[in-house]
Amino acid sequence: MLPRPEVIKWELMRAVLQRVLRASVTVDGEVVGEIGAGILALIGVAGGDTETDAAYIAGKLADLRIFEGEQSLTEIQGAALLVSQFTLLGDARKGRRPSWSEAAPPDEGRVLYERVVDLLKERGIETATGRFRAQMEVALVNDGPVTILLDSKKVF
């Protein structure tokens, strides 16, 4: 019998990024954010995350060499579409209902999510967003496909 895994307390900002040819977010039939070539990033903020976590994620989004010729988003002058997604912190290891207890409270999550947005804009990256706490429809054309999971702290 395998040993039971220890309980992991996330306390890390998590992002799922996808290299895209284009992506958009629609809320109530209205397109609220859209980009051409670049990165779609789903961002989950955990309780206990800090400005350091936001800076780490923003830096990775801007500088990861995932485009043709091993170029970064900054180098290709691509765009970023950032969508807040607390469900990235869901824990589905027990039972059939995920637990969202590791996600930051909405006010705290909004501040750090918006900080990632601001940090990308400060670097001159065209940045669009979804709408925080809204029911969103996210559409994308994945390029590659390339999908990468980022955590602001090493868990294992």
Side-chain angles (χ1 to χ4, degrees), residues 5-146:
E6 293 182 36
V7 174
I8 297 171
K9 189 155 180 70
W10 295 114
E11 292 184 4
L12 55 85
M13 189 175 291
R14 174 164 280 165
V16 174
L17 67 93
Q18 295 185 299
R19 187 175 74 187
V20 298
L21 297 174
R22 63 185 170 278
S24 64
V25 177
T26 303
V27 176
D28 295 329
E30 173 193 359
V31 175
V32 297
E34 64 183 325
I35 63 167
I39 290 175
L40 166 65
L42 308 173
I43 298 175
V45 179
D49 280 347
T50 67
E51 168 89 15
T52 302
D53 298 290
Y56 175 84
I57 294 295
K60 285 292 189 180
L61 291 173
D63 296 332
L64 273 177
R65 297 183 173 280
I66 61 170
F67 293 92
E68 189 173 329
E70 294 189 13
Q71 294 186 88
S72 69
L73 184 65
T74 303
E75 291 166 326
I76 69 159
Q77 298 180 340
L81 175 57
L82 277 57
V83 177
S84 176
Q85 189 172 349
F86 78 93
T87 60
L88 291 178
L89 283 297
D91 184 352
R93 290 174 292 165
K94 183 178 178 184
R96 295 183 295 159
R97 275 194 197 111
S99 168
W100 316 116
S101 64
E102 298 301 325
D107 291 341
E108 181 183 322
R110 180 189 300 262
V111 168
L112 290 172
Y113 162 74
E114 289 176 353
R115 186 62 185 138
V116 174
V117 172
D118 291 343
L119 288 166
L120 289 178
K121 287 180 178 179
E122 287 171 15
R123 292 182 70 153
I125 295 171
E126 176 191 338
T127 306
T129 65
R131 188 169 294 157
F132 195 84
R133 295 191 80 186
Q135 178 68 36
M136 295 176 271
E137 295 175 13
V138 180
L140 68 131
V141 175
N142 197 315
D143 181 18
V146 173

